[in-house]
Amino acid sequence: MHELVERELYEALDYARTIDQDKGKHILIQFEIDQPLFSQTLFNVFPSIIDNQNDEHQYENLAQFFADLAFDVLCVYQKVFGKMPKFDDDPTWMERQAMLLDKELTPLLASNHVSDKVANKMREDFFKPKEGEFIQTGLVNFMNMSIDDFVKESGETYNEAIVDLSKTMLFVVVRLFNNLYTPVIQH
């Protein structure tokens, strides 16, 4: 595993964006077979968290766009790093990832009960690469810009908190793919 260089990233993103509907369905079905819990988390749980931030389902379009971006991330990793590890090879992988994320996210979510200085430090620590971890900075930046462009072009009103939540969740998606393709990283 390595950090994607600009050319490599844009070629992989171009590949992801030019996949036709049939090939896209095939990729999603294979992902669900290879990593059923991860697939469920990525395309059901995470978008529903975004969608359910408002009782009126005002964020349904943003939740769908998030799922589209998660698909792009899936395609980028498959294009650049090859065949995905299978659930059968490590059936507790997703459970371990959930425990790691819970340990990191719980203090971050509680940050509204601490001073701004402490909250900012907690956010910095969350987004900082862990030992031996590659953060795909170019991919994360591209995803963040995509969210910003979507919000700007949608004509809908999104509060800053839901936009930040969507970006944070995309960062988590990238981190999960990094961990999936680099199983030696246990944190």
Side-chain angles (χ1 to χ4, degrees), residues 105-116 118-120 122-123:
L105 284 173
T106 299
L108 189 64
L109 295 174
S111 67
N112 60 348
H113 302 294
V114 298
S115 71
D116 287 345
V118 171
N120 286 335
M122 291 164 73
R123 275 191 280 287

Side-chain angles (χ1 to χ4, degrees), residues 23-32 39 43 71 74:
K23 184 167 173 87
K25 284 180 184 177
H26 176 74
I27 289 170
L28 288 173
I29 290 167
Q30 191 62 52
F31 180 50
E32 190 168 359
S39 174
F43 295 112
F71 177 78
L74 163 65

Side-chain angles (χ1 to χ4, degrees), residues 1 35 83-86 89-90 93 96-97 100 132 175-187:
M1 164 103 16
Q35 288 291 335
K83 199 167 182 149
M84 178 178 306
K86 296 184 185 304
D89 298 334
D90 187 358
W93 177 83
R96 289 192 320 274
Q97 299 308 306
L100 288 171
R175 178 180 271 174
L176 287 170
F177 272 103
N178 277 350
N179 292 352
L180 180 64
Y181 275 84
T182 312
V184 293
I185 298 176
Q186 299 299 322
H187 304 292

Side-chain angles (χ1 to χ4, degrees), residues 94-107:
M94 191 66 205
E95 183 180 331
R96 289 192 320 274
Q97 299 308 306
M99 288 188 299
L100 288 171
L101 285 172
D102 184 54
K103 188 171 83 175
E104 291 180 355
L105 284 173
T106 299

Side-chain angles (χ1 to χ4, degrees), residues 113-156:
H113 302 294
V114 298
S115 71
D116 287 345
K117 183 178 179 179
V118 171
N120 286 335
K121 174 74 171 117
M122 291 164 73
R123 275 191 280 287
E124 273 180 38
D125 289 345
F126 177 75
F127 288 105
K128 193 182 300 179
K130 308 307 176 230
E131 185 179 328
E133 180 181 40
F134 290 99
I135 295 296
Q136 300 294 348
T137 307
L139 181 57
V140 170
N141 289 341
F142 180 84
M143 293 294 136
N144 288 343
M145 288 186 316
S146 295
I147 291 283
D148 290 339
D149 290 346
F150 173 82
V151 167
K152 192 183 313 177
E153 294 170 7
S154 72
E156 298 179 39

